[in-house]
Amino acid sequence: NAGVTQTPKFRVLKTGQSMTLLCAQDMNHEYMYWYRQDPGMGLRLIHYSVGEGTTAKGEVPDGYNVSRLKKQNFLLGLESAAPSQTSVYFCASSDNRGYSDEQYFGPGTRLTVT
Amino acid sequence: RKEVEQDPGPFNVPEGATVAFNCTYSNSASQSFFWYRQDCRKEPKLLMSVYSSGNEDGRFTAQLNRASQYISLLIRDSKLSDSATYLCVVNRNTGNQFYFGTGTSLTVIP
């Protein structure tokens, strides 16, 4: 099992450009999450999904959109990138017990917006 | 007020030492508690869940104090390989949202 994978691993964008980050998991997990990690801020939840076709906002959703068209994939989109979105983005998944279960994280995507 | 607060450290301890980290959470409705470990520039990985009665896994002991709303992690006989950042994580039973502390940095010195 590959676990949770993320594409791409690194990316540099210019302000105003758009991009999509892809997260894929092969563990048949119901729940998937997108976080960003900034120095001194810890991990903050952007959006999450409790199943195929469903999404919900987390703590810091502004400037991001998500889609979960297939159970194994969770996409994070930046429509118009801003320097404040420079961060490390982690995707995670967990089993359908949700809040009480372990989260498995992908290796992260390091995004720089200039 | 932040949902989860941790002392960022850094904690620099010699090999073989015992070190303890504390974490406080603000919402009394929090139901699930965890310690994750994150190595430099890597993804977080679950170290252990924290149960009401306290739990131990080898050299690691986790405690939960609901009355005071804090969680602790004790590491005995520290190894060089324990050097990492330790993240405190809580979840309420609604909303499926996990809240992470900023992490406590540990360096074990030979």
Side-chain angles (χ1 to χ4, degrees), chain A residues 31 37 48 99 103 106 110, chain B residues 32 36 38 41 43 95 98:
Chain A
Y31 293 87
Q37 186 173 35
Y48 66 99
Y99 67 87
Q103 289 193 310
R110 284 163 178 75
Chain B
S32 302
Y36 277 73
Q38 186 174 26
R41 300 180 70 81
E43 70 273 22
F98 291 80

Side-chain angles (χ1 to χ4, degrees), chain A residues 11-13 19 78 85-89 109-113:
Chain A
R11 186 72 185 269
V12 178
L13 285 180
M19 76 166 294
L78 285 73
Q85 294 178 304
T86 293
S87 189
V88 180
Y89 292 85
T109 295
R110 284 163 178 75
L111 174 66
T112 301
V113 182

Side-chain angles (χ1 to χ4, degrees), chain B residues 11 13-20 59 73-78 106:
Chain B
F11 285 70
V13 302
E15 270 187 291
T18 295
V19 62
R59 299 181 292 108
L73 177 68
L74 183 76
I75 305 176
R76 291 181 300 278
D77 188 24
S78 298
L106 171 67

